[in-house]
Amino acid sequence: MSSFFTLPASQKKRKRSGADAPTPNKRRTTSKSSTSVAKPAQAKKPQRDESISGSESDENDTPRQPASEGDEDEGVSSESDHEDETGAERRLRLAERYLANIKGEVEEGGFDAEQIDKDLIAERLKEDVAETKGRLYRHIASEFAFGESTKTQFRADTLSTTSIATCPPYVYTVSKDMVLIKWQLPNPSPASTKAPGGKSKKEAPPSRRRPTKLLSTRGNTRKSKDPTFQHHTAPILTVAASSDGRFVATGGADKRLIIWSATDLTPLRLFTQHRDSVTGLAFRRGTNQLYSSSADRTLKTWSLNELAYVETLFGHQDQVLDVAALAQERCLSVGARDRTVRLWKVVEETQLVFRGGGGEKKSRAQGKEGARSFAEGSIDRVAVIDEEMFVTGSDNGSLAMWTMHKKKPVYTVPLAHGLDPPLKPEEAYAEKEPSYTVPSGPQPRWITALATVPYSDLIVSGSWDGWVRVWKISEDKKRIEAVGAVGRAPGENEAVGRGALGSREQAGGDAVDGEGGSAEGEEQAVRGVVNDLSVFERGDKGKDGLCIVAAVGTEHRLGRWKTVKGKNGAVVFEIRKMSR
């Protein structure tokens, strides 16, 4: 029994009938002849292109003559020319026609398309590529008027504010009396809005410029033995907010990590995996993956989409005080007195160790007789600049810049916030009649807060000298340069804080600031210890300015060994962008 698959190839071939065979050839010859005859009539082609470019209206066109038989033949022939083309070829042909029309319009109107391409396309592509690769590509530190910033202080009836997190326009603060508060930041008023007569418009009263308190929740120390109590039972030490505005995470001295709903501050999940105080929290940029650091010398990763624990990272030899992260699946942590910074590659399950602990470099202290050198005892703060660079702050007041390619700091700014005056005899001794010989001289102020604008050259640091100081990365990415203090005009009282400006010549210098780091009678921008900082840009890439929010308290967030005169709460700085 034969079938189609068993027949020989010669029998499978189907032959066309004589009537059907010449039809395609006849059509092709007709199209060729009509095309050759109708060549002079190609001036009407731009009229067919108008539907693509859409640059001219039908009202301006001359009245069209009724189509003749030759025009009809031309349309048939042009359609038959492109009958066999694929979809990709057709799109390419239409795109070329569209570009030709645009080019004609540009030549007629004198439109500078090259400049538009450079500004809108090339620059955007460069930024996208740089951010994808995690490199510093924005130099914005010199674009803002930090000396002319406006300051607004807001507070609630709480103890020292230990940490702060922002998810514009909302701010979340936590304090030592177990209070979590949600605030709403107002939109900044325009820098200078004047009426036609020259008088400035009526400004809003100061109370309206302050953030509005929306929600708050307080813990209870009496519930420390109740495992079902979903709140803190000891001081809250850190807070973080997700970028999508869904979650808020808090960690405290009660070893608890609590995930809250950002909308109404209701607890979603309580984690008790840590064996000691939770000291730091950081979200991976653009995701709901959370990293937590603890005094139990470990870090843990969490997935908040599933509200689940993922894994634990081991390696530090002392309590982990801070953690930071960007877009890639890795994080940075500092280990206090083990004086190491560790880069955790979560996917590869590896870590890189960067070792600090050195005093001032010899080259920076040479030629300075009697220059003091303060050894680094603890690395307390870390902030990420990009995927290859980061900065750390230490208890000897040094601000260090690191890269992933070197195990030691690339550049160190000593005494970034100056020196405290020597202790008074009654403070150094417990006797009623103490000796008047104080055993130690001036001491450096610790770096208690550190923040950056990701993928830019801007760094912000805080201590208890009364100022939030701004730094920038140099163009060659080898130095940290001082920009100034937020709220202090450039050149104002520079002699007071020379040791705090961190130039190379002042390495180990003896400049001693007064109490609070300000001149006598000078108003301080921040009164108290800056326990945390958060920075974000207003508008698209900071076109509407920069906002810095500082968590301020009379005590350090981790203890009571340092008390400073001031007020508990937070301070908002609005910095305008300078016009070029």
Side-chain angles (χ1 to χ4, degrees):
M1 181 177 176
S2 61
S3 66
F4 177 79
F5 298 100
T6 58
L7 288 175
S10 60
Q11 297 181 19
K12 292 181 186 178
K13 191 171 182 180
R14 296 179 180 178
K15 296 183 179 180
R16 296 183 178 180
S17 61
D20 299 336
T23 305
N25 297 333
K26 187 175 181 180
R27 189 174 183 179
R28 285 173 189 161
T29 54
T30 305
S31 64
K32 287 179 182 178
S33 61
S34 61
T35 308
S36 59
V37 172
K39 246 183 180 180
Q42 284 184 352
K44 293 188 177 182
K45 195 170 184 180
Q47 295 180 358
R48 296 175 53 82
D49 298 344
E50 289 172 6
S51 60
I52 300 176
S53 62
S55 59
E56 298 179 3
S57 61
D58 294 338
E59 298 177 358
N60 298 330
D61 293 341
T62 57
R64 295 188 180 181
Q65 300 294 333
S68 62
E69 295 181 0
D71 295 339
E72 292 178 359
D73 293 342
E74 181 186 357
V76 173
S77 63
S78 61
E79 291 178 2
S80 63
D81 287 342
H82 307 298
E83 190 178 47
D84 298 333
E85 68 180 356
T86 62
E89 292 174 345
R90 182 174 180 275
R91 287 192 294 270
L92 179 61
R93 176 173 58 83
L94 293 176
E96 290 176 349
R97 185 185 299 178
Y98 174 75
L99 291 176
N101 293 340
I102 294 296
K103 186 177 180 181
E105 293 176 6
V106 169
E107 291 176 354
E108 292 176 4
F111 192 75
D112 193 358
E114 183 179 357
Q115 186 65 28
I116 293 297
D117 288 344
K118 180 180 178 181
D119 294 341
L120 300 182
I121 300 176
E123 294 298 328
R124 182 61 182 268
L125 288 176
K126 289 179 182 178
E127 291 180 0
D128 291 344
V129 170
E131 187 165 348
T132 303
K133 293 184 177 181
R135 297 175 181 171
L136 185 152
Y137 67 95
R138 300 176 59 205
H139 297 274
I140 63 174
S142 57
E143 296 179 0
F144 298 99
F146 293 100
E148 302 174 7
S149 63
T150 59
K151 180 187 73 171
T152 304
Q153 186 170 5
F154 62 98
R155 61 186 296 270
D157 191 13
T158 61
L159 298 180
S160 296
T161 306
T162 55
S163 185
I164 200 163
T166 56
C167 180
Y170 302 109
V171 176
Y172 302 90
T173 60
V174 293
S175 58
K176 286 191 174 182
D177 50 356
M178 303 162 291
V179 178
L180 168 63
I181 306 177
K182 179 180 180 180
W183 310 79
Q184 183 175 4
L185 290 173
N187 293 325
S189 57
S192 59
T193 55
K194 293 188 177 181
K199 297 180 180 179
S200 58
K201 293 182 180 179
K202 187 178 180 181
E203 297 182 356
S207 59
R208 294 185 182 179
R209 291 204 306 266
R210 293 181 181 176
T212 306
K213 182 179 178 181
L214 301 179
L215 298 168
S216 67
T217 176
R218 185 186 292 267
N220 191 350
T221 56
R222 298 178 181 179
K223 300 286 187 177
S224 58
K225 295 183 180 180
D226 184 2
T228 61
F229 181 63
Q230 293 200 349
H231 211 298
H232 288 281
T233 59
I236 307 177
L237 302 179
T238 180
V239 64
S242 61
S243 57
D244 61 357
R246 292 174 56 195
F247 302 106
V248 176
T250 58
D254 53 1
K255 312 174 189 177
R256 297 186 174 197
L257 171 62
I258 304 179
I259 309 301
W260 311 80
S261 171
T263 55
D264 53 3
L265 295 187
T266 56
L268 301 176
R269 186 69 186 273
L270 168 65
F271 295 106
T272 57
Q273 279 84 345
H274 278 295
R275 298 186 177 183
D276 208 334
S277 303
V278 181
T279 56
L281 294 170
F283 277 94
R284 180 184 165 198
R285 185 179 173 89
T287 68
N288 288 324
Q289 184 176 353
L290 179 69
Y291 302 101
S292 64
S293 62
S294 172
D296 62 4
R297 300 180 293 178
T298 66
L299 289 95
K300 295 185 186 293
T301 61
W302 316 82
S303 177
L304 297 195
N305 290 327
E306 293 82 16
L307 292 176
Y309 158 77
V310 180
E311 64 176 324
T312 302
L313 308 175
F314 298 90
H316 278 289
Q317 303 301 312
D318 195 23
Q319 54 186 351
V320 188
L321 294 183
D322 200 9
V323 62
L326 277 183
Q328 296 187 14
E329 198 167 353
R330 57 189 188 180
C331 63
L332 281 160
S333 61
V334 288
R337 277 179 244 177
D338 71 358
R339 291 172 292 185
T340 63
V341 186
R342 294 177 186 255
L343 171 68
W344 306 87
K345 298 181 179 180
V346 179
V347 177
E348 293 89 344
E349 297 184 352
T350 59
Q351 57 178 293
L352 295 178
V353 183
F354 304 88
R355 301 194 180 275
E360 308 298 342
K361 285 189 176 182
K362 291 182 180 179
S363 60
R364 299 181 184 179
Q366 281 178 353
K368 272 283 206 181
E369 295 183 2
R372 289 187 178 90
S373 177
F374 299 94
E376 188 176 51
S378 173
I379 304 179
D380 298 336
R381 285 296 191 176
V382 63
V384 185
I385 298 172
D386 58 19
E387 299 293 352
E388 296 182 352
M389 300 173 63
F390 59 94
V391 289
T392 58
S394 307
D395 64 346
N396 65 343
S398 63
L399 186 68
M401 181 179 71
W402 308 67
T403 65
M404 301 298 177
H405 311 294
K406 295 187 70 174
K407 298 294 184 179
K408 287 290 184 180
V410 176
Y411 189 85
T412 303
V413 177
L415 305 176
H417 284 262
L419 295 168
D420 260 344
L423 293 175
K424 299 177 181 179
E426 55 270 18
E427 296 175 346
Y429 298 98
E431 292 85 354
K432 292 182 179 180
E433 297 180 359
S435 172
Y436 286 93
T437 58
V438 179
S440 61
Q443 295 297 315
R445 299 188 180 96
W446 309 347
I447 305 295
T448 57
L450 202 58
T452 61
V453 176
Y455 308 111
S456 75
D457 61 342
L458 184 64
I459 306 170
V460 183
S461 64
S463 186
W464 59 82
D465 62 336
W467 301 98
V468 174
R469 301 192 181 272
V470 184
W471 317 83
K472 70 175 182 179
I473 305 297
S474 61
E475 292 286 344
D476 56 3
K477 300 181 182 180
K478 294 182 179 180
R479 300 186 313 277
I480 297 178
E481 300 174 352
V483 176
V486 180
R488 174 187 279 179
E492 181 182 349
N493 296 317
E494 288 184 354
V496 177
R498 284 182 300 174
L501 291 179
S503 61
R504 277 183 179 268
E505 292 76 10
Q506 290 296 330
D510 297 341
V512 181
D513 297 350
E515 182 65 30
S518 302
E520 193 172 329
E522 182 186 6
E523 182 182 358
Q524 301 174 4
V526 181
R527 296 183 59 190
V529 181
V530 181
N531 284 318
D532 201 4
L533 287 167
S534 182
V535 187
F536 65 91
E537 295 175 282
R538 291 194 178 273
D540 184 20
K541 295 189 180 298
K543 67 177 183 179
D544 296 332
L546 192 73
C547 183
I548 302 176
V549 190
V552 185
T554 57
E555 300 171 352
H556 191 275
R557 72 184 186 108
L558 297 178
R560 304 188 64 183
W561 51 79
K562 182 65 181 179
T563 58
V564 180
K565 294 180 180 179
K567 293 182 179 180
N568 299 320
V571 181
V572 180
F573 296 96
E574 295 288 352
I575 300 104
R576 66 174 180 85
K577 193 169 185 177
M578 293 186 294
S579 57
R580 294 184 178 181

